[in-house]
Amino acid sequence: MGYDIERFVGYVNEGLLCSICHDVLEDPLQAPCEHAFCTACIHGWLVHHSNCPEDRQTVDVSLLRPLYRYMKNDLNRLQLRCKNREHGCVMICSLESIERHERECEYSQIPCSNAGCTVRVERRNLDGHLAVCEYRSRECPNGCGIIILSAEDTQHNCIGELRTELELLRSEMICRVEEAKHEMESRLDSQRRHMVQKESILQNEIKELKSQMSRVMSDVRSLMAAERQHRQELEQAELEKQELMELLRRLQKDCRLTTTEGSRKLTNLWPLARLQSAKRKPMDPAAILTEYHWSSCAHIQVLCFKT
């Protein structure tokens, strides 16, 4: 709804009137056909219609635009009376500043600030009303510190109020202690479960380490047994080697003795054979010596080969 035209002082251009409520535009919007409306009026109209109420052209909410600047300036310069005129306010101001004035107007009706009081008074009379309001509150004059209402002055009992306040504090303290207790128990249970889970994990790791240690010890014992067996085999091989070397030395010694004896026999027999051959066939002395030399060399080579 727009501003009541009776509140305005002087002439108001018809272009500044709403086409729906026929009052002066309030928070105006303009359709594509250039007809202007109050925002509340045109939104309410478009709920049930889809055209302009003036020329019946199609209108959609998305097509509405703010009022032209020159029309907005003309509208803001209009002079009107305060809405509290009937209560005694004689203020006349421009439309642009009327809302600020009415928020601070001394003749505005405002509710009492005391809880429970439903009286509405003029702003200028609020302090006087608060001084006598039956719902006004104040601190107990006897020094108990309780905030009381004036209507309860005759029924106020400082000791009873303090006892009630103490019981409330005690109940609140008990509730807080119980909440803290429950919270601590919950934390302890959570930590206990975590410790149990951690202990289980550690026990499993210890079992796994023990199993690995057992396998390692078994492998070590197997390696030690194999080492002992290898050492025994080496010692046995060393003994056999020594025995073979001793046997070889003995065989070499026997071979030398046998060879020496055989060579002696051959040496003793060779001159006789040569003499017999010489008797059968005369030879040149030089040829005899050469043959003797080659026979000796061949004999020595045979002996060396046998050795």
Side-chain angles (χ1 to χ4, degrees), residues 216-229:
V216 171
M217 293 301 295
S218 178
D219 294 341
V220 169
R221 285 193 292 269
S222 299
L223 291 174
M224 291 178 66
E227 181 67 21
R228 284 195 298 270
Q229 184 178 359

Side-chain angles (χ1 to χ4, degrees), residues 29-35 37 42-43 46 50-52 57-68:
L29 290 174
Q30 192 171 17
C33 58
E34 297 187 358
H35 290 111
F37 314 93
I42 190 59
H43 283 175
L46 293 178
S50 59
N51 51 22
C52 175
Q57 293 186 21
T58 302
V59 176
D60 187 75
V61 175
S62 60
L63 300 177
L64 299 176
R65 294 291 182 268
L67 200 64
Y68 291 136

Side-chain angles (χ1 to χ4, degrees), residues 20-144:
I20 298 175
C21 66
H22 302 291
D23 288 329
V24 179
L25 293 169
E26 179 179 3
D27 191 14
L29 290 174
Q30 192 171 17
C33 58
E34 297 187 358
H35 290 111
F37 314 93
C38 301
T39 298
C41 294
I42 190 59
H43 283 175
W45 173 270
L46 293 178
V47 171
H48 304 286
H49 306 82
S50 59
N51 51 22
C52 175
E54 285 289 324
D55 54 18
R56 303 303 176 180
Q57 293 186 21
T58 302
V59 176
D60 187 75
V61 175
S62 60
L63 300 177
L64 299 176
R65 294 291 182 268
L67 200 64
Y68 291 136
R69 182 181 296 275
Y70 73 91
M71 294 180 65
K72 185 71 173 177
N73 292 336
D74 291 343
L75 185 65
N76 288 334
R77 284 195 291 268
L78 293 177
Q79 301 290 314
L80 73 163
R81 301 179 183 87
C82 176
K83 67 179 181 179
N84 299 314
R85 178 186 179 187
E86 58 184 10
H87 299 293
C89 182
V90 295
M91 184 68 180
I92 298 176
C93 56
S94 65
L95 182 62
E96 185 178 12
S97 58
I98 191 64
E99 291 185 3
R100 181 172 62 253
H101 164 72
E102 290 178 349
R103 284 196 302 269
E104 302 172 355
C105 181
E106 294 294 325
Y107 294 90
S108 297
Q109 298 288 320
I110 59 175
C112 176
S113 58
N114 291 327
C117 182
T118 59
V119 176
R120 297 180 65 88
V121 296
E122 295 180 358
R123 189 187 304 275
R124 58 178 181 160
N125 298 328
L126 180 60
D127 293 337
H129 169 75
L130 292 176
V132 297
C133 180
E134 61 179 357
Y135 290 95
R136 70 184 186 280
S137 59
R138 60 188 179 88
E139 188 174 341
C140 177
N142 296 326
C144 69

